[in-house]
Amino acid sequence: MSRDFRVPRCVAGLSLFVVLAFRAVETSAASPPNIVFLFTDDHAAHSMSCYGSKINKTPHLDRIASGGMRFDRCYVTNSLCGPSRATILTGKHSHANGFRQNGDKFDGSQVTFPKLLQQGGYQTAVIGKWHLETDPTGFDHWDILIGQGPYYNPPMIANGERVKREGYTTEVIGDLAMEWLDKKRDPNKPFLLMCQHKAPHREWQPGPKYFDLYKDETIPEPPTLFLDHAQLGKAAQVQTLSIEKNMTELDLKLTPPKNLTPTQAEAWHKAYDSENAAFLAANLTGKELVRWKYQRYIKDYLRCVAAVDDQVGRLLDWIEKSGQADNTIVVYASDQGFFLGDHGWFDKRFMYEPCYRTPFLVKWPGKTKPGSVSNDLVSNLDFAQTFLAAAGVQADPSMQGVSLLPLLEGKRPADWRKSLYYHYYEFPGAHDVHRHYGVKTARYKLLHYYHLGDWELFDAEQDPLDTKNVYHDPAYAEARKELETELARLRKHYQDPDDPKPESKVKKN
Ligand code: CA
């Protein structure tokens, strides 16, 4: 009898295949989402058309915004490259993760969200700019620039091996990300891909494809290009972020980068030499000279952004064609914003709106409503817990942010946070911005330059770009008092210790 019920081996194999295939479909429907984290360096939201840019268009970044949620009030904990990255990985403020300023060494033994995702069954990869001094941990695959990395022909470190790559760095990083997705990924696992561009960091060197972009155009100037800094506090009087005073010949392309191939050098000279000759002959001075520098700077910055936008487009196309779009979260963010001539400046560091705010877009089909906008106070401190929550992986109790999942799902909690804490440390250091901490609420910012003994207060309702310090205005006495109390509460809540004044650079005998 039993013989009659025996299933031939080939049929049994087929049945098993059918069962497994069915399970695979079942699993994929409920499987954790892939996370593609697209990240740039120094890309201000006001140079993205989805954020209302008046100076450029970013059609591919706009695809993420129109398909998902745009956060209009995303701020960083410390407006600087390395510290922002450390905060994103750990979900902790700089004092808690130990990376306060560029040049610090990231302690890779601490808990990070990629490590937790990896332990939770994700395949994890980081490609591009890392900038944390120590080797990445928690990644199955890493292929990173060394330090800042150059815009052309970047030497990189791939899983510990030094490799030299030729080409324009933004495109090299795009190629490596595509190659990982196509050939190195384990299709049986959900993945985290962190694709992190160097662009549009200083010195804003465009790729050969982009030299002609904006060539015959005049980019609109920001309304604060010639701001009177006497309206601001003491720190603004001594900074060295000035377009007028602090740009180098390399920034302005009066000298070419040193590491170009002969073909790249030829294209570079063709792009800049005649313009440079005309500039030198014109012998500009005063405001006209500032205007020329602004145009040279902003065009190159926007050319770098255009290359990023194109690479984002390639990745979005891959996701759409892969059939995984419905189960892939696409995130776009920068490590902080930037002064795009605002206040007459370039660079970042201050807790001022143009560089304190960072772009943050999240497209998650089935969760984020296409074209939606959040005005809630969110931070790069929240990214780690958000990605872990999306993956269904438990966050670490030491993390100091908040999962943004309820906001992404359109279920805003009534008691959402009312304030954010900031702390910048890199002084003495590049661009001479004094150390400060501060609190941001929906309407105000209060900044304390604790070693300088100075305070600033800004009212976003009257002054959205932070151009006029009203700390000493009696009309704001009550607001000032409330903000000082809130700042003290946040410092205690995050257990941020007093920051001793660093010893003078002058060595003692
Ligand atoms: Ca940066």
Side-chain angles (χ1 to χ4, degrees):
M1 242 346 237
S2 63
R3 245 176 147 186
D4 295 334
F5 285 93
R6 201 181 297 152
V7 181
R9 197 169 282 174
C10 62
V11 175
L14 186 64
S15 308
L16 184 65
F17 171 77
V18 169
V19 168
L20 286 178
F22 182 69
R23 277 198 188 141
V25 170
E26 252 187 347
T27 311
S28 91
S31 65
N34 305 311
I35 302 171
V36 176
F37 181 71
L38 303 167
F39 194 57
T40 45
D41 196 320
D42 294 358
H43 187 195
H46 51 310
S47 55
M48 294 167 67
S49 30
C50 54
Y51 276 100
S53 170
K54 296 182 176 70
I55 56 176
N56 69 330
K57 296 262 190 292
T58 47
H60 297 297
L61 290 166
D62 294 1
R63 287 163 64 187
I64 307 175
S66 63
M69 183 171 276
R70 186 188 82 210
F71 287 84
D72 278 4
R73 283 185 177 148
C74 183
Y75 294 93
V76 293
T77 57
N78 180 352
S79 182
L80 197 61
C81 308
S84 174
R85 286 151 209 272
T87 288
I88 288 168
L89 289 170
T90 60
K92 294 183 202 169
H93 278 279
S94 304
H95 67 276
N97 67 46
F99 200 105
R100 291 176 176 80
Q101 59 185 51
N102 287 340
D104 282 351
K105 291 199 186 316
F106 183 68
D107 171 9
S109 71
Q110 61 189 311
V111 177
T112 63
F113 87 84
K115 274 188 195 174
L116 295 177
L117 286 181
Q118 195 182 39
Q119 287 161 18
Y122 271 69
Q123 191 183 17
T124 57
V126 60
I127 292 168
K129 186 167 175 181
W130 175 249
H131 200 40
L132 290 172
E133 303 287 336
T134 52
D135 286 348
T137 53
F139 292 96
D140 298 306
H141 176 79
W142 52 278
D143 198 337
I144 58 168
L145 296 173
I146 300 167
Q148 293 281 4
Y151 268 104
Y152 281 84
N153 313 317
M156 295 179 77
I157 306 176
N159 301 312
E161 297 272 323
R162 204 178 157 115
V163 281
K164 174 92 177 119
R165 299 212 164 87
E166 196 168 298
Y168 185 57
T169 299
T170 305
E171 292 163 355
V172 168
I173 292 170
D175 288 346
L176 291 170
M178 300 297 295
E179 191 188 334
W180 184 80
L181 285 169
D182 279 332
K183 296 179 188 158
K184 297 181 180 169
R185 200 173 49 88
D186 177 350
N188 298 313
K189 284 184 172 182
F191 68 86
L192 163 73
L193 170 62
M194 301 181 81
C195 177
Q196 311 199 144
H197 289 284
K198 173 206 171 56
H201 192 277
R202 194 186 189 191
E203 287 94 5
W204 321 293
Q205 293 166 4
K209 275 188 220 162
Y210 302 90
F211 284 141
D212 288 337
L213 196 61
Y214 310 112
K215 192 97 178 163
D216 301 314
E217 295 174 37
T218 302
I219 308 290
E221 292 171 1
T224 58
L225 183 60
F226 297 103
L227 181 73
D228 179 2
H229 296 138
Q231 297 178 177
L232 297 165
K234 290 177 189 170
Q237 316 306 319
V238 296
Q239 48 62 40
T240 50
L241 307 168
S242 165
I243 288 179
E244 180 185 4
K245 297 172 187 160
N246 305 119
M247 283 197 156
T248 66
E249 291 202 347
L250 202 56
D251 290 335
L252 295 166
K253 315 296 149 36
L254 296 169
T255 51
K258 286 183 180 144
N259 64 333
L260 303 180
T261 64
T263 312
Q264 290 162 350
E266 193 184 336
W268 187 277
H269 286 290
K270 199 175 157 206
Y272 289 104
D273 282 0
S274 63
E275 273 188 11
N276 286 345
F279 163 71
L280 293 170
N283 203 21
L284 303 173
T285 56
K287 284 191 173 179
E288 289 315 303
L289 179 57
V290 174
R291 292 200 155 103
W292 185 87
K293 288 183 180 182
Y294 167 74
Q295 289 297 326
R296 174 54 63 93
Y297 152 51
I298 203 68
K299 284 183 184 180
D300 285 339
Y301 179 94
L302 297 178
R303 288 164 180 154
C304 292
V305 169
V308 167
D309 192 61
D310 283 345
Q311 295 307 314
V312 166
R314 285 178 75 199
L315 275 170
L316 294 179
D317 290 346
W318 184 92
I319 293 165
E320 279 163 23
K321 283 180 195 152
S322 72
Q324 302 199 53
D326 287 347
N327 200 33
T328 300
I329 305 174
V330 180
V331 179
Y332 181 77
S334 174
D335 59 353
Q336 82 293 302
F338 213 64
F339 290 104
L340 303 180
D342 314 281
H343 294 51
W345 297 342
F346 62 97
D347 211 73
K348 58 262 182 175
R349 300 160 195 277
F350 277 103
M351 195 191 169
Y352 293 169
E353 192 72 10
C355 67
Y356 173 40
R357 181 168 84 135
T358 200
F360 183 45
L361 309 171
V362 182
K363 179 174 179 280
W364 188 1
K367 297 277 185 183
T368 50
K369 191 177 161 197
S372 54
V373 176
S374 163
N375 267 308
D376 292 301
L377 290 175
V378 305
S379 168
N380 61 350
L381 187 68
D382 304 326
F383 294 0
Q385 279 149 278
T386 304
F387 300 152
L388 290 166
V393 173
Q394 189 77 33
D396 190 79
S398 69
M399 291 177 169
Q400 297 176 316
V402 180
S403 163
L404 304 175
L405 226 58
L407 300 181
L408 291 169
E409 291 175 334
K411 299 170 189 161
R412 182 188 184 277
D415 60 348
W416 191 254
R417 69 155 74 89
K418 303 283 191 298
S419 65
L420 290 169
Y421 180 62
Y422 181 84
H423 197 158
Y424 171 79
Y425 297 85
E426 197 176 279
F427 185 91
H431 297 293
D432 304 296
V433 175
H434 275 267
R435 294 179 183 219
H436 55 293
Y437 51 66
V439 55
K440 157 82 186 153
T441 63
R443 180 168 173 183
Y444 296 111
K445 287 190 193 85
L446 177 74
L447 290 71
H448 185 204
Y449 301 86
Y450 45 90
H451 292 153
L452 201 56
D454 200 29
W455 293 82
E456 286 178 324
L457 175 62
F458 297 103
D459 177 358
E461 273 185 14
Q462 304 296 323
D463 175 26
L465 297 176
D466 301 342
T467 63
K468 192 178 176 200
N469 175 23
V470 294
Y471 184 82
H472 301 287
D473 183 339
Y476 288 93
E478 198 175 321
R480 197 175 70 203
K481 202 173 155 194
E482 281 173 18
L483 288 160
E484 283 170 354
T485 304
E486 180 61 5
L487 179 58
R489 186 191 73 79
L490 288 171
R491 286 182 51 70
K492 196 172 169 192
H493 173 73
Y494 291 119
Q495 299 180 305
D496 189 11
D498 284 341
D499 176 29
K501 197 165 185 172
E503 293 201 11
S504 162
K505 277 182 185 171
V506 182
K507 281 187 182 168
K508 288 174 188 165
N509 286 328

